[in-house]
Amino acid sequence: QLHLTMSEKNELTKSLEMVQKELQEKESEMKREISEYKDKLLQAEKKHQDALTEANRKNEVEIEACQEKINLLEHFISSQKLEIEHLKSNKELNNSLKETNQTIGELLKTKVR
């Protein structure tokens, strides 16, 4: 009886050791898979961050180009306003000259009579 019990105990011990070994192998495999997934996640995050950085860089370049265009347009508008003022001033001078010429013409007519 004792021998049978000892034999069963040995078998159960071997079986337990095999189950423990199997569990350790599964745990090791799961740790390896977790490590692989973490690496993949880090790679994906880096790729995403690189894409964001590149998009931001492109946007900054585009913003700078737009700002330059705005500055050029503001300068152009400013020069056009000056030109308009100059033209208005010339128009007023021309009108004044016409009036002066009419006045001189009338004075000459009056003097000739």
Side-chain angles (χ1 to χ4, degrees):
Q1 181 74 21
L2 180 62
H3 182 68
L4 186 62
T5 304
M6 289 299 281
S7 178
E8 285 178 4
K9 180 189 166 202
N10 285 340
E11 283 182 36
L12 286 172
T13 301
K14 284 181 184 178
S15 178
L16 178 62
E17 286 172 355
M18 283 177 39
V19 168
Q20 284 176 334
K21 185 178 179 184
E22 196 176 307
L23 284 173
Q24 285 175 343
E25 288 174 0
K26 284 186 179 180
E27 180 184 18
S28 178
E29 175 67 18
M30 290 177 87
K31 284 181 179 178
R32 187 187 61 74
E33 286 179 6
I34 288 170
S35 178
E36 286 177 6
Y37 287 130
K38 283 182 180 178
D39 286 346
K40 286 180 183 178
L41 179 62
L42 286 173
Q43 288 174 359
E45 285 175 345
K46 186 183 182 317
K47 189 175 181 181
H48 179 69
Q49 187 59 46
D50 290 346
L52 280 175
T53 301
E54 179 63 16
N56 284 339
R57 188 194 63 76
K58 285 182 180 178
N59 286 341
E60 286 174 8
V61 168
E62 197 172 322
I63 287 169
E64 285 177 13
C66 288
Q67 190 60 51
E68 285 179 25
K69 286 180 185 177
I70 288 170
N71 291 341
L72 286 172
L73 287 172
E74 286 175 345
H75 180 72
F76 177 74
I77 288 169
S78 177
S79 67
Q80 290 298 304
K81 284 180 180 177
L82 285 173
E83 181 68 19
I84 288 169
E85 290 302 316
H86 181 68
L87 290 172
K88 283 181 182 178
S89 176
N90 282 346
K91 183 179 177 183
E92 288 172 7
L93 281 172
N94 284 338
N95 288 340
S96 178
L97 281 172
K98 283 180 186 176
E99 289 173 10
T100 303
N101 283 335
Q102 285 177 352
T103 304
I104 290 171
E106 289 171 9
L107 287 172
L108 287 174
K109 285 179 187 174
T110 306
K111 188 177 178 183
V112 168
R113 285 184 196 164

